[in-house]
Each structure stands twice: as structure tokens, then as C-alpha cells.
């Protein structure tokens, strides 16, 4: 039954997500081409400074302008894309459990926990797919900026880029250390996304079960209240946490640098830190999920 629920949850958002992802990738490719004008414009400006201004200066300014606009467009598009997908997932979760559609949902011979985990897995899949598309989009922007420097030594020199010997001295053992680090980092990203999704589902569930009528307004009000409280708490604790984090990172950095006297110990120290973060995020996500399921089982009232 879980597979059937997951199939329908994935299908409910698939068309919209595919269209949004295609638009995002197309914009990223076009934007990457536009960003490639920045290093080209730098070369034109350098040549104009040596030979005197002419129409080439106008072209350089135009290319620079297009490149900056393309960069801004990609950044905003990634933010809108990721935010839009998240909102779409949250709205579906709310509608499927707490709106009039909930009456139909709970007439199905399926446990509420099965319905919840189906929403969780499908939501996590879409969030990770969205992160992947966003990463590819940012990569397109980076390639657009770097490609002219790769093709032209003059541009590379002007931009201060040096690609010779970039991987010089990299041994097979270093590559293996880096591969393990990459795998752990990807696991950390998945776990953090899971914890974030569970927190959002918990907030929606708490708000929707606290109000018998006008649940949607209740959810929006709770989000607004949490946002306002978060802003106040942020400004109050900003300097304290900033100092604390700087000192903590400095102490950890000193300890890790000392461990790197023996490379294996240094890498194991980094792995241990990431594993601690993974365990903390997984624990938080699991707690949020259990609280949400208990609320759905005991406090959900569709009357």
C-alpha cells in the first residue's frame, strides 16, 4: 500500500516540477552563456586601455552588463525555484490531511502513518531533485565564467586564473579521502533536508490541529508568528552566537590542523565532525516526525 501511495504522491507534483525544472535549466544555460561575457569584457577593457577607447569599449560595457544581469537572474531563479517547490509540497501536505480533501483521504483503508511517510518520502525526493537542478544551474553559471579563461590564456591572465598544476601533487590516497568526504557530505545534505521537511510538516500539523475552523489562516498565522519570533531572537542572539561560533571554529581548526600532522588522523577528525552533524540532524528529524505522527493519530479532527 505504501508503494501505491508513494506513486500517487509523486505523480501529483511531477508535471509541475518537470516544467519548472526544465525552465530553470534552460534559464541556467542561457544565463551561463550571458555570464561568459564578463571575462570577455575584461579582455576588451584591457585592450582598450592599451590602445585607446573606441567602439570596443561599448561592446565591453554591454557584455559586462549582460553578464551581471545573467548572474542575478540565475540566483533569483534558483531561489524562486527552490522556494516554489517547497511551498508546493507544504500545500499538498496541508490539503491532503487538513482540508476538505482530508475526508476523502481518510476513507481509504490506509494507516495515517503510511500516508505520512508517503508524503515524507515523495517530498524528500522532490527536495533532493530540486537541489540537484539548482546545483546544475549554478554549475552552468560557473562554467560560463570559467570557459573563456580556459579557451584564452589572455583572459586567464587578466582574470588571475591559473589552471596549470591544479591537481598537481594529488595522490590516489588524497582522492580516496576526498571521495569519502564527498559521500559523507551528500549524506549530510540528505539528512538535513529530511530534518527541514519534518520541521515544516510538524509546524503545519500543530497549527492545523490547534484550530477547528479556518485552519489555513491558523497555519499562516503560526508561520508569521514563528517568523517574527525568529527575527527577534536572531537580532538578540546574533553577536553572542557569532562570537561563540568564531571561537568554536577556531578551536576546532587548531585541533584539526594539529591532527593533520598525521594525515589519517586529520581526515578521521573531519569525518567524525560530519558524522556528529549527521546524527544530530537525523535525531532532530526523527523527533519531529514522531511528534507529527502522534499529532495526526490523536489530535486530528476533521469535523
Amino acid at each position: 500500500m505504501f508503494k501505491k501511495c508513494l506513486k500517487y504522491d509523486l505523480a501529483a507534483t511531477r508535471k509541475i516540477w518537470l516544467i519548472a525544472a526544465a525552465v530553470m535549466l534552460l534559464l541556467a544555460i542561457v544565463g551561463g552563456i550571458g555570464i561568459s561575457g564578463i571575462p570577455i569584457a575584461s579582455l576588451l577593457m584591457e585592450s582598450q586601455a592599451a590602445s585607446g577607447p573606441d567602439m570596443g569599449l561599448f561592446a565591453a560595457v554591454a557584455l559586462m552588463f549582460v553578464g551581471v544581469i545573467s548572474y542575478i537572474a540565475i540566483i533569483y531563479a534558483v531561489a524562486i525555484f527552490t522556494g516554489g517547490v517547497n511551498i508546493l509540497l507544504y500545500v499538498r501536505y496541508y490539503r491532503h490531511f487538513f482540508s476538505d480533501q482530508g475526508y476523502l483521504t481518510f476513507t481509504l483503508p490506509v494507516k495515517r502513518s503510511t500516508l505520512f511517510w508517503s508524503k515524507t518520502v515523495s517530498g524528500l525526493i522532490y527536495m533532493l531533485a530540486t537541489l540537484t537542478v539548482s546545483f546544475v544551474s549554478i554549475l552552468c553559471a560557473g562554467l560560463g565564467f570559467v570557459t573563456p579563461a580556459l579557451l584564452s590564456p589572455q583572459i586567464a591572465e587578466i582574470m588571475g586564473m591559473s589552471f596549470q598544476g591544479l591537481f598537481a601533487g594529488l595522490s590516489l590516497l588524497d582522492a580516496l579521502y576526498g571521495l569519502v568526504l564527498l559521500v559523507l557530505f551528500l549524506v549530510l545534505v540528505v539528512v538535513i533536508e529530511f530534518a527541514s521537511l519534518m520541521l515544516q510538516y510538524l509546524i503545519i500539523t500543530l497549527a492545523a490541529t490547534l484550530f477547528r475552523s479556518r485552519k489555513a489562516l491558523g497555519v499562516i498565522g503560526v508561520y508569521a508568528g514563528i517568523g517574527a519570533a525568529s527575527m527577534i531572537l536572531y537580532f538578540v542572539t546574533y553577536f553572542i552566537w557569532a562570537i561563540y561560533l568564531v571561537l568554536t571554529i577556531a578551536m576546532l581548526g587548531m585541533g584539526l590542523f594539529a591532527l593533520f600532522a598525521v594525515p589519517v588522523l586529520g581526515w578521521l577528525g573531519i569525518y567524525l565532525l560530519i558524522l556528529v552533524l549527521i546524527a544530530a540532524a537525523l535525531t532532530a528529524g526523527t523527533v519531529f516526525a514522531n511528534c507529527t505522527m502522534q499529532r495526526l493519530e490523536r489530535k486530528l479532527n476533521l469535523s
Side-chain angles (χ1 to χ4, degrees), residues 113 121 144 197 275:
S113 59
V121 173
L197 183 63
L275 288 173

Side-chain angles (χ1 to χ4, degrees), residues 227-298:
S230 299
M231 288 298 294
I232 295 173
L233 184 62
Y234 172 80
F235 284 113
V236 170
T237 60
Y238 173 78
F239 292 105
I240 298 175
W241 279 108
I243 295 173
Y244 173 79
L245 288 175
V246 168
L247 292 176
T248 302
I249 292 173
M251 294 177 65
L252 289 174
M254 292 172 61
L256 288 176
F257 285 137
L259 286 176
F260 268 101
V262 181
V264 175
L265 293 180
W267 283 106
L268 289 177
I270 293 176
Y271 298 157
L272 180 60
L273 288 176
I274 297 178
L275 288 173
V276 169
L277 292 175
I278 291 174
L282 184 60
T283 301
T286 303
V287 171
F288 296 152
N290 289 333
C291 292
T292 302
M293 284 192 294
Q294 289 180 7
R295 197 78 184 177
L296 289 174
E297 295 285 354
R298 300 178 183 179

Side-chain angles (χ1 to χ4, degrees), residues 26-56:
L26 179 60
L27 180 61
I29 294 173
V30 175
I33 296 173
I35 291 175
S36 65
I38 295 178
I40 297 174
S42 300
L43 176 62
L44 291 176
M45 290 180 177
E46 184 75 13
S47 62
Q48 291 302 310
S51 61
D54 58 16
M55 289 301 294

Side-chain angles (χ1 to χ4, degrees), residues 158-301:
I158 292 172
M159 301 299 293
M161 297 180 181
S162 177
F163 303 101
Q164 296 180 353
L166 186 61
F167 298 101
L170 182 64
S171 65
L172 177 61
L173 188 59
D174 293 329
L176 290 176
Y177 286 143
L179 181 61
V180 174
L181 181 63
L182 176 62
V183 171
L184 289 177
F185 178 76
L186 292 177
V187 173
L188 178 61
V189 169
V190 173
V191 174
I192 290 176
E193 288 295 303
F194 168 71
S196 174
L197 183 63
M198 292 301 93
L199 177 59
Q200 300 303 321
Y201 281 179
L202 177 60
I203 292 174
I204 295 172
T205 303
L206 288 174
T209 54
L210 284 174
F211 300 95
R212 289 183 178 273
S213 61
R214 301 186 183 277
K215 295 178 181 179
L217 291 177
V219 173
I220 295 173
V222 170
Y223 264 104
I226 292 175
S230 299
M231 288 298 294
I232 295 173
L233 184 62
Y234 172 80
F235 284 113
V236 170
T237 60
Y238 173 78
F239 292 105
I240 298 175
W241 279 108
I243 295 173
Y244 173 79
L245 288 175
V246 168
L247 292 176
T248 302
I249 292 173
M251 294 177 65
L252 289 174
M254 292 172 61
L256 288 176
F257 285 137
L259 286 176
F260 268 101
V262 181
V264 175
L265 293 180
W267 283 106
L268 289 177
I270 293 176
Y271 298 157
L272 180 60
L273 288 176
I274 297 178
L275 288 173
V276 169
L277 292 175
I278 291 174
L282 184 60
T283 301
T286 303
V287 171
F288 296 152
N290 289 333
C291 292
T292 302
M293 284 192 294
Q294 289 180 7
R295 197 78 184 177
L296 289 174
E297 295 285 354
R298 300 178 183 179
K299 298 294 183 180
L300 181 58
N301 185 1

